Amino acid sequence: MQTALPHTASWCPCKPLGRPFTAAPSARSQPHCTRRKAKASCQHTTNDTSSQSQGQHSQEPIYHIAAEVPRPSAPSANASSPVPLPYVAAAAGLALTYFALKKVFDTPSRAYKENVGDEYDSWTDDGVLEYYWGEHIHLGYYSEEERRKGYKKKDFKQAKLDFVDEMLKWSGAKNPSKVLDVGCGIGGTTRILAKSFPSAQVQGITLSKSQVKRGGELAAEQGLSNCSFQVMDALHMDFPDDTFDLVWACESGEHMPDKKKYIEEMTRVLKPGGTIVIACWCQREETPESPLSPTEKEQLQFLYDEWAHPYFISNLEFGRLMEGTGKLQSVEVEDWTQPTIDSWRHSIWVGVYDPWIVVFKGPVVWYRTVREIVTLERMHRAFDRGLMQYGMMKAVKSDTSRPKQAASEAALSK
């Protein structure tokens, strides 16, 4: 016996369960199971007496069935696969590390607190600065031809020796009998001056006890007996007035908290007719027409506070201070930024080429060295942008003894 399965408006056995009874999308919109081209209604039968049950879909078009089967939707063109959580965590960790390190290296660590001597003691004792810079803790000199060829082709330490030679020539000093090196470091220049003027007595002064000790050791090693070193504040020197024929100050003015007093004290101990010559890192001249911007002030403040500098002044301001003493004449000021600027990056490269002394010193020296590299690069950029300048200043002390002698002779003749 065959029994036809019922069809209702909401259910057809040839459709998936749970879907409403609708017509297949077709231009021939006809009720399902009644289209004439299908010859008859959809007839499903079962045979109660037969062991075989079957359902037929009499000539049902295949597109009807396909249209009713749900299909997975294609991924959207804008959809993106989610980033695995470990990668997100790693990226976040790197970002936090970067900003933490940036904060550390953007925060100055050695602001001026009358601690210049202590800082130079530390630099001298660990030996890294002397290893890379040699006996001279100042910038080097690179000629135009050397710069065209590439500053890295020049020996880094030789550049410093060349600077001393150029500064001495520029000073115009001739056969001084007594020389003062203000802020002498470990005495590299002091010893060169002692060799250049063997009949002269050359005195180096510094705030660092370690530098005095090291300077004396190197002088003894080199067999020099006409130079000596002592701890002394350049703003309060113990020397009598009119003592030295040549007062030499290479990169010491940066650390002076009173630039005016610095100039006046060096002028005091200089003999009439003697020469004073100064090399100093300077900031650009600030005028009402060209004031320092907030960004420039921030950059300068870092340079002050990272290497124990109270402040900088312009080379022109140094010239005005020298003229302001009323005792110095023939004041000259120059900008030596171009022949010295390559020293900043050259000093970084010598460490890259030969890092081993730092590697074996341990984590504390590693950290300090990285800080120095950051500051050296900041210095280069400041000089390159014109925010900083390398100032050279010189003058001759007026010979006041002649007017006094003439007045004395005039008084005696009466």
Side-chain angles (χ1 to χ4, degrees), residues 142-151 337-342:
Y142 303 78
S143 68
E144 291 183 7
E145 182 180 356
E146 289 168 336
R147 298 192 74 207
R148 282 194 300 268
K149 292 180 179 178
Y151 67 86
T337 298
Q338 291 308 308
T340 58
I341 190 172
D342 290 325

Side-chain angles (χ1 to χ4, degrees), residues 120-141:
Y120 277 106
D121 282 344
S122 177
W123 281 323
T124 303
D125 293 341
D126 70 28
V128 173
L129 193 60
E130 183 179 346
Y131 181 83
Y132 287 122
W133 287 49
E135 299 181 29
H136 298 265
I137 310 173
H138 57 74
L139 301 191
Y141 189 94

